[in-house]
Amino acid sequence: MDVRLPHPPPDPARIAKLALDAAVLVHQSGGDTARTTATLDRAARALGAGRVDAIVSSLSLGVTVSVDGRQETALRRAPHMGVNFRVLSGVSRAVNALEAGRVGANGFATLLDDLESYPHYYPAWLVAVFVGFACGAFAALFHGDLMAVAVTSVGAALGMRVRQLLAQRHFKPFVFAPAAAFVATLVVGLLKSLTGTPEAALAASVLFLIPGVPLINGAADLLSGSYLNALVRLTMGAVFVVGLALGMSVALRIVA
């Protein structure tokens, strides 16, 4: 006679931990509040939670899961760490696989560990070089000549490198944003005699400081009713814009 042992009931503590692990990856990789909350809710329910209550703020995440009358509450600090679309899509695929039953709790945990342990970013110097090329391409779109593209690429790469070095030393955006804008504008201003279209070079050299993701996520949070998180993201975007304007103004007074 084949006697099957009943499956053990889901552990709410483990459900809360895994759901928070997934949500923290999304939050720290540039996901907006709605996406982070949805990831937390979907992962917890797919793992067996009957009820999920989630809180997502700009610096921390919390969740309470209920399973057959048992409850577990967990809280995690989760400061923003930039933008990583590979992690965002990876977490989305992992949650889809969990909901479809292609992986269990252990497999889901392994997928999250792989995403967390994989190097998130390219080398800083390489990022600075390609950011310079990207700003040079914008100079071309602004009808800059070949030298304007070259000058913009050099200035933006140096400005980006300054931003990286100051950020690594834990300086805040209101410090590294004006400093990076100052360096990029100063370099382009000093080399403006090499190009016949210096306006295009100056305008494109600081585009790497435009806070696209914070502004987009802030607008998304505002439209979805997450007003506090929207205010934080939009304020962060405003700090970058004001710092950019300040750095450019000081540099232009020197090279004009």
Side-chain angles (χ1 to χ4, degrees), residues 80-151:
H80 285 285
M81 298 176 65
V83 179
N84 192 322
F85 293 109
R86 187 188 63 81
V87 172
L88 288 176
S89 59
V91 173
S92 181
R93 287 195 297 270
V95 174
N96 289 339
L98 183 66
E99 289 179 325
R102 295 195 296 273
V103 296
N106 292 333
F108 185 63
T110 301
L111 291 174
L112 297 181
D113 289 341
D114 290 342
L115 288 170
E116 189 172 11
S117 60
Y118 193 83
H120 287 190
Y121 305 106
Y122 294 103
W125 66 267
L126 185 62
V127 172
V129 169
F130 278 93
V131 165
F133 288 152
C135 290
F138 275 112
L141 290 176
F142 297 160
H143 304 292
D145 56 23
L146 185 59
M147 285 309 299
V149 173
V151 167

Side-chain angles (χ1 to χ4, degrees), residues 9 22 36 66 76 109-110 119 131 165 173-174 178 181 198 206 243:
T36 304
S66 302
R76 188 85 57 83
T110 301
V131 165
L165 292 174
F174 65 82
V206 294

